[in-house]
């Protein structure tokens, strides 16, 4: 019915010869039958003739309907779908009425089809515009792995026109290295979608990094395998920029570290140099010389401590995934502190430990973390609190062990919660702090997949929270300590 033009007001006229013939025959039959009846010569024959005449007239009226419908059908085939109507005062029969109903329904169906067609075209244009404006290469691939359609960027990347691209096999077109080929092969074999997987396209000078995403969809009922959409995003420039940024960040960090180390070592070295000069000058009493010697010794020890801390910081990346019993480490750390380094603070340490499965991290590493946090707590409380107290607690939360070290000291000033984790940040005057303890502890916690932070919501002192992944929840095998 393509090209149908509908003009409902332009009615088809019934054939006038059929009407005229039917009317004439009807009239003759009627007159003859009437004459016979009036003359009384043959009443039976008159009735018979009347019936014949009526039948002939009915036949022509019926034929008139068929002719009208036939005409209308011919007009419809020529492209004009319109209702059929008899000419003049003759009323058309049921067949014409039914045909007209059919024509009306067909007409509204065609209207709807036309609207759908226009909508489909508009949608196709919209989708086409979206695909063309995509900032990446797009290929739609048939179930036989041949390109079915593509966007302009694909033509640009592969240097082929749309028609040529459509004749290309995906694997031949992409020129993947072995790794990428295997990745794509497996994706198609198991219909496994890919999302932003990095691949390398081309070789030599034209070698570039891309991310590839593959989505599968059913293209047609009779199709054997699925069709797919391949998206390729060129990330070569981004990677290069990332590398440059990474390098420059490393240089900045190195510069900061060097500056910090220089600053930290300069102070004790200056003191050592001063006392060494005094010793060298001679003339000092025995007691003074002993005092100078002691000062040189303690400052040299401080230098060694700074260097030890730096080495611990540098070694953190080489940690193997060990596991340990964190409650046992807490016990050892508290014993050591109470019996040795921390006993001069005279601050009681309470413990509240819950049963805890092994955690990731070697006891040697976590020992450093806990000593740093607990020593800080002791130092903070000893000088300020009326009844100084430190509490070390452990508990299990989901897939992690949580260790908290809480004290009732002055707490962390607002705005310093993040800064205290920066290397060389210290508020401890008189060469008492290096500012490396928390930085090192945090980097150790992160290196085992955990975290260390200061609870900003805690009031009445300071609370440090060490989060460590439970070994059983992790896929890493531990060596146990
Ligand atoms: P250092 O102890 O050598 O200063 P850290 O990195 O261990 O270096 O600590 C950095 C800073 O964090 C400390 O100088 C101190 O200001 C603050 N800090 C750490 N722990 C506490 C605490 N429990 N209470 C108050 N301040 C703390």
């Amino acid at each position: 019915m393509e090209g149908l033009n509908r003009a409902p007001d332009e009615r088809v006229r019934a054939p006038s010869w059929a009407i005229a013939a039917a009317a004439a025959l009807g009239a003759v039959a009627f007159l003859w039958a009437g004459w016979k009846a009036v003359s009384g010569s043959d009443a039976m024959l008159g009735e018979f003739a009347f019936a014949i005449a009526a039948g002939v007239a009915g036949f022509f009226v019926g034929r008139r309907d068929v002719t009208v419908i036939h005409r209308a059908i011919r007009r419809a085939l020529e492209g004009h779908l319109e209702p059929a109507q008899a000419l003049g005062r003759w009323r058309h029969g049921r067949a014409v009425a039914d045909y007209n109903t059919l024509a009306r329904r067909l007409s509204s169906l065609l209207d709807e089809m036309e609207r759908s067609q226009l909508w489909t075209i508009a949608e196709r244009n919209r989708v086409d515009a979206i695909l063309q404006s995509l900032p990446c290469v797009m290929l739609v691939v048939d179930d036989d792995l041949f390109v079915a359609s593509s966007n302009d960027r694909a033509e640009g990347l592969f240097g082929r026109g749309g028609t040529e691209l459509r004749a290309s096999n995906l694997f031949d077109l992409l020129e993947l290295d072995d790794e990428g080929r295997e990745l794509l092969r497996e994706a198609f074999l198991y219909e496994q979608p890919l999302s932003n997987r990095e691949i390398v396209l081309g070789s030599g000078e034209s070698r570039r990094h891309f991310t590839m995403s593959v989505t599968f969809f059913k293209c047609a009922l009779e199709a054997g395998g699925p069709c797919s959409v391949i998206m390729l995003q060129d990330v070569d420039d981004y990677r290069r920029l990332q590398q440059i940024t990474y390098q420059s960040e490393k240089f900045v960090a190195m510069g900061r570290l060097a500056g910090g180390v220089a600053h930290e070592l300069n102070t004790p070295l200056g003191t050592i140099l001063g006392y060494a000069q005094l010793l060298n000058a001679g003339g000092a009493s025995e007691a003074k010389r002993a005092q100078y010697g002691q000062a040189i010794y303690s400052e040299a020890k401080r230098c060694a401590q700074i260097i030890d801390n730096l080495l611990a910081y540098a070694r953190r990346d080489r940690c193997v995934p060990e596991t340990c019993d964190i409650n046992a480490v807490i016990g050892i750390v508290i014993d050591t502190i109470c019996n040795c380094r921390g006993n001069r603070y005279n601050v009681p340490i309470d413990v509240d430990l819950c049963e805890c499965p092994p955690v990731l991290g070697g006891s040697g590493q976590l020992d450093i973390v806990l000593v740093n946090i607990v020593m800080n707590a002791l130092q903070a409380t000893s000088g300020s609190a009326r009844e100084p107290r430190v509490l070390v607690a452990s508990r299990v939360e989901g897939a992690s062990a949580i260790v908290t070290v809480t004290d009732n000291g002055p707490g962390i000033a607002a705005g310093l919660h993040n800064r205290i984790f920066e290397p060389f940040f210290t508020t401890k005057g008189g060469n008492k702090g290096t500012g490396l303890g928390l930085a090192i502890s945090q980097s150790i916690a992160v290196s085992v997949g955990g975290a260390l932070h200061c609870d900003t919501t805690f009031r009445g002192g300071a609370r440090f929270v060490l989060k460590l992944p439970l070994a059983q929840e992790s896929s890493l095998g531990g060596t146990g300590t």
Side-chain angles (χ1 to χ4, degrees):
M1 300 295 279
E2 202 182 327
L4 276 179
N5 301 320
R6 293 164 307 286
D9 296 329
E10 216 182 88
R11 302 293 163 103
V12 173
R13 290 173 179 271
S16 50
W17 63 267
I19 300 162
L25 265 167
V28 168
F30 179 75
L31 285 173
W32 191 51
W35 176 75
K36 279 284 179 193
V38 170
S39 64
S41 58
D42 192 349
M44 277 275 286
L45 186 69
E47 279 163 24
F48 182 66
F50 181 77
I52 294 277
V56 169
F59 169 77
F60 277 108
V61 169
R63 189 167 158 72
R64 179 197 59 132
D65 276 3
V66 171
T67 311
V68 166
I69 292 170
H70 187 211
R71 268 241 181 135
I73 289 173
R74 278 219 316 271
R75 291 271 298 153
L77 287 175
E78 284 163 9
H80 305 280
L81 182 63
E82 51 204 16
Q85 199 180 42
L87 181 66
R89 277 167 287 144
W90 289 90
R91 289 189 60 218
H92 52 66
R94 270 182 77 91
V96 173
D98 285 351
Y99 171 83
N100 286 348
T101 309
L102 186 73
R104 265 194 304 278
R105 285 189 188 162
L106 207 59
S107 175
S108 72
L109 208 67
L110 286 169
D111 277 342
E112 211 166 291
M113 260 177 68
E114 207 169 274
R115 271 197 302 276
S116 303
Q117 217 170 15
L118 288 174
W119 184 84
T120 309
I121 291 169
E123 273 305 291
R124 199 188 56 197
N125 290 345
R126 195 169 69 93
V127 171
D128 228 43
I130 293 172
L131 295 182
Q132 293 305 341
S133 63
L134 280 179
C136 60
V137 169
M138 188 221 54
L139 299 168
V140 179
V141 178
D142 269 348
D143 59 328
D144 57 1
L145 295 178
F146 273 79
V147 175
S149 61
S150 55
N151 64 356
D152 289 349
R153 279 179 188 262
E155 293 176 21
L157 174 70
F158 299 110
R160 305 181 191 187
T163 326
E164 205 183 336
L165 264 184
R166 277 192 283 282
S168 314
N169 175 282
L170 178 70
F171 280 78
D172 297 342
L173 183 72
L174 288 185
E175 285 185 66
L176 289 157
D177 59 3
D178 287 349
E179 205 182 318
R181 224 179 155 73
E182 190 54 26
L183 180 73
L184 195 62
R185 198 187 68 83
E186 289 219 345
F188 274 93
L189 195 62
Y190 303 112
E191 280 179 39
Q192 191 72 50
L194 298 177
S195 170
N196 288 326
R197 298 293 297 270
E198 197 155 327
I199 53 161
V200 177
L201 294 189
S203 53
E205 287 286 285
S206 61
R207 200 181 131 89
R208 286 183 83 81
H209 288 83
F210 283 82
T211 56
M212 176 172 70
S213 299
V214 182
T215 315
F216 294 97
F217 67 96
K218 193 147 184 63
C219 35
L221 281 176
E222 68 274 9
C227 296
S228 53
V229 178
I230 319 271
M231 298 280 199
L232 297 169
Q233 179 76 53
D234 190 336
V235 289
D236 215 64
D237 295 336
Y238 171 71
R239 285 277 168 274
R240 213 165 295 150
L241 209 67
Q242 208 178 24
Q243 246 169 12
I244 294 169
T245 314
Y246 180 60
Q247 287 291 347
S248 45
E249 264 174 11
K250 270 207 312 206
F251 286 133
V252 170
M254 261 174 65
R256 249 196 233 145
L257 194 71
V261 172
H263 173 77
E264 286 302 307
L265 289 178
N266 227 10
T267 319
L269 282 177
T271 314
I272 292 171
L273 211 62
Y275 283 115
Q277 272 170 352
L278 287 174
L279 278 177
N280 215 20
S285 66
E286 188 71 17
K288 277 280 177 206
R289 283 213 302 277
Q291 192 194 338
Y292 297 161
Q294 181 56 41
I296 288 171
Y297 170 74
S298 64
E299 289 304 286
K301 232 177 107 181
R302 195 173 136 69
C303 289
Q305 192 198 343
I306 291 170
I307 287 164
D308 273 355
N309 283 342
L310 282 170
L311 286 175
Y313 188 70
R315 270 200 296 265
R316 75 196 195 282
D317 285 342
R318 277 178 251 146
C319 298
V320 286
E322 288 178 299
T323 63
C324 72
D325 174 355
I326 190 64
N327 285 341
V329 178
I330 292 172
I332 293 167
V333 165
I334 291 174
D335 271 0
T336 317
I337 288 176
C338 290
N339 295 326
C340 183
R341 296 171 65 179
N343 62 359
R344 64 192 151 119
Y345 296 110
N346 205 19
V347 176
I349 302 175
D350 297 325
V351 285
D352 177 12
L353 307 180
C354 287
E355 210 171 304
C356 191
V359 296
L360 284 185
S363 56
Q365 299 168 290
L366 299 181
D367 187 289
I368 297 173
V369 178
L370 288 166
V371 166
N372 277 324
I373 312 173
V374 176
M375 283 304 291
N376 277 345
L378 293 180
Q379 287 166 0
T381 46
S382 67
S384 61
R386 220 163 355 113
E387 280 182 45
R389 292 211 82 82
V390 171
L391 170 69
V392 181
S394 70
R395 65 175 193 276
V396 173
E397 218 175 76
S400 306
I402 309 290
V403 179
T404 54
V405 178
T406 311
D407 66 64
N408 60 352
I412 314 289
L416 292 186
H417 287 94
N418 286 330
R419 284 206 66 197
I420 56 173
F421 290 98
E422 283 176 15
F424 302 113
F425 176 84
T426 180
T427 56
K428 295 171 189 166
N431 284 344
K432 282 193 190 133
T434 60
L436 285 170
L438 287 180
I440 291 167
S441 303
Q442 192 177 52
S443 69
I444 289 175
V446 170
S447 75
V448 298
L452 173 66
H453 73 273
C454 175
D455 186 350
T456 51
T457 59
F458 184 74
R459 300 283 171 265
R463 171 173 287 162
F464 284 83
V465 183
L466 172 65
K467 188 174 173 185
L468 297 166
L470 296 180
Q472 65 196 24
E473 304 291 336
S474 159
S475 55
L476 296 168
T479 52
T481 52

